[in-house]
Amino acid sequence: GAGVSQSPSNKVTEKGKDVELRCDPISGHTALYWYRQSLGQGLEFLIYFQGNSAPDKSGLPSDRFSAERTGGSVSTLTIQRTQQEDSAVYLCASSHRITIGGAYEQYFGPGTRLTVT
Amino acid sequence: AQSVSQHNHHVILSEAASLELGCNYSYGGTVNLFWYVQYPGQHLQLLLKYFSGDPLVKGIKGFEAEFIKSKFSFNLRKPSVQWSDTAEYFCAVNGGGATNKLIFGTGTLLAVQP
């Protein structure tokens, strides 16, 4: 079946502008994650959604970052007033529902490469 | 807090050489361990995973990893690498719990020379 898809694949924006990044998870996956991959920082967790539970926002680097997930499927990551240090590849991943004591592998999308000029 | 260390940042090997990439984690509880691979121009793919049971796990493309709990290690191995194994390899851990978020190592860039 189809994998995780993300759009756009590349985004160039000027410093101070807002950007929205989109993620379509694998159908049937209820858990959705955002990560960021940047030089010097490696891969960092940003935010996690599962079903109607409150998201885990513990990885968001500042209040300029927010994310939502509508209808339990598509998710949008928004970065307001972008800064040059926001330049990175933003990765989305999805997995089956997480249960206490359980674990499922995460499937990653191709990412959105964000460049802030 | 959980953390993952990958000791080799850049490895260069000739084809048919054996590979071992180190991975150590810090977390005292039950962990789930992963190796992901990112081939040039492609997205992250799961290579292998350990959840429980046999500590020697086998993954795709002839890779294997051994979970040694006493050493907090999960090293990746392959007896004979190929040029097509050129990629970046990431070790990751999660402690289960409510979110299952992954903590990644900094990655090892492997270049295999033909």
Side-chain angles (χ1 to χ4, degrees), chain A residues 12-31:
Chain A
V12 180
T13 190
E14 293 179 353
K15 178 181 171 180
K17 296 284 180 69
D18 298 351
V19 294
E20 284 190 352
L21 313 179
R22 176 188 168 105
C23 172
D24 276 279
I26 293 172
S27 177
H29 281 186
T30 57

Side-chain angles (χ1 to χ4, degrees), chain B residues 4-79:
Chain B
V4 178
S5 298
Q6 291 184 241
H7 317 297
N8 318 100
H9 298 294
H10 195 184
V11 173
I12 302 173
L13 294 174
S14 298
E15 276 193 315
S18 63
L19 170 71
E20 180 159 4
L21 301 182
C23 173
N24 286 89
Y25 64 93
S26 78
Y27 183 69
T30 301
V31 291
N32 303 304
L33 297 156
F34 306 82
W35 276 96
Y36 279 85
V37 60
Q38 190 168 28
Y39 297 104
Q42 297 187 27
H43 59 276
L44 275 170
Q45 302 170 41
L46 183 69
L47 203 53
L48 48 78
K49 63 193 178 193
Y50 173 80
F51 289 166
S52 64
D54 188 344
L56 182 63
V57 292
K58 296 190 183 296
I60 60 172
K61 303 186 180 185
F63 286 90
E64 65 179 31
E66 185 174 13
F67 170 52
I68 303 179
K69 188 174 181 179
S70 61
K71 295 185 177 180
F72 298 90
S73 70
F74 190 55
N75 292 354
L76 181 71
R77 300 194 293 248
K78 185 171 184 178

Side-chain angles (χ1 to χ4, degrees), chain A residues 4-5 22-34 49-52 68-76 92-94:
Chain A
V4 177
S5 61
R22 176 188 168 105
C23 172
D24 276 279
I26 293 172
S27 177
H29 281 186
T30 57
L32 186 147
Y33 308 78
W34 284 97
F49 295 91
Q50 175 158 296
N52 295 321
E68 63 178 21
R69 189 177 185 193
T70 53
S73 181
V74 171
S75 177
T76 302
C92 178
S94 70

Side-chain angles (χ1 to χ4, degrees), chain A residues 58-75:
Chain A
S58 61
L60 294 179
S62 78
D63 59 8
R64 295 186 295 105
F65 288 72
S66 63
E68 63 178 21
R69 189 177 185 193
T70 53
S73 181
V74 171
S75 177

Side-chain angles (χ1 to χ4, degrees), chain A residues 33 35 37 42-45 48 50 56 58-59 91 95 98-111, chain B residues 30 32 34 36 38 41-46 49-51 88 90 94 96-107:
Chain A
Y33 308 78
Y35 294 86
Q37 187 175 21
L43 274 154
E44 306 170 276
F45 166 78
Y48 158 81
Q50 175 158 296
D56 176 357
S58 61
L91 297 173
S95 77
I98 304 306
T99 58
I100 298 299
Y104 293 98
E105 62 193 77
Q106 295 176 27
Y107 294 82
F108 284 80
Chain B
T30 301
N32 303 304
F34 306 82
Y36 279 85
Q38 190 168 28
Q42 297 187 27
H43 59 276
L44 275 170
Q45 302 170 41
L46 183 69
K49 63 193 178 193
Y50 173 80
F51 289 166
E88 191 159 17
F90 295 91
N94 71 46
T99 67
N100 208 36
K101 64 185 180 187
L102 292 174
I103 307 298
F104 284 90
T106 51

